[in-house]
Amino acid sequence: MQKSVMSQVQIGRQYAKQWPMRKELAPLFSEFRVIRATELAITVMPILAMLTLFFQLNYLGPDFLPQAIASALFFLSLPLQGLLWLGKRAQTPLDPAMLSWYKELYTKMVANGYQAELSEKKPRYLELATLLKDMFEKMDKAFTKEQF
């Protein structure tokens, strides 16, 4: 089932908020780098787009309006590309190796007092993000250090 672009962007924002931004996860998952780059792009790219538009029109003249608009739109699209990637990743089912690690982590957390249901038969990266966030927030530091 295909999702609309706006719903994909919303899922990407939700996934970025849900993902635990911990340095222990950075070597294992690309989400850490993508979320950081997307957050930076959300703050910087609109300013860069306006500066590009201003300087091209100011120094090159109105004859270069189409190129200036194209450059500005490119800079504005960069944060959206990051959010779209995150939205797609959030909806992607876990591969078999990641699925077994997810179930193993859940089992260890339940053995240490975690109380939540296993989300689905085919968990996605969004459920993995929820489980990891709960692990870092609700479990003790010795448990999390043992896992990584």
Side-chain angles (χ1 to χ4, degrees), residues 21 28 36 39-40 48 63 67 86-87 98 117 127:
M21 294 300 288
L28 301 173
R36 290 265 190 219
E39 288 173 351
L40 179 65
L48 194 57
D63 293 338
Q67 291 89 340
L86 288 167
M98 192 63 67
E117 292 294 319
E127 285 80 30

Side-chain angles (χ1 to χ4, degrees), residues 6-67:
M6 287 309 295
S7 67
Q8 197 83 5
V9 168
Q10 289 172 347
I11 291 169
R13 288 205 46 92
Q14 175 190 1
Y15 184 57
K17 289 178 184 175
Q18 190 68 27
W19 188 262
M21 294 300 288
R22 301 289 300 245
K23 291 184 180 178
E24 298 95 334
L25 299 174
L28 301 173
F29 300 99
S30 58
E31 278 81 354
F32 186 84
R33 292 181 300 276
V34 172
I35 291 170
R36 290 265 190 219
T38 302
E39 288 173 351
L40 179 65
I42 287 172
T43 57
V44 171
M45 290 304 157
I47 297 166
L48 194 57
M50 293 303 293
L51 287 173
T52 299
L53 195 62
F54 172 75
F55 284 119
Q56 284 186 10
L57 289 177
N58 194 27
Y59 290 112
L60 299 175
D63 293 338
F64 286 87
L65 181 63
Q67 291 89 340

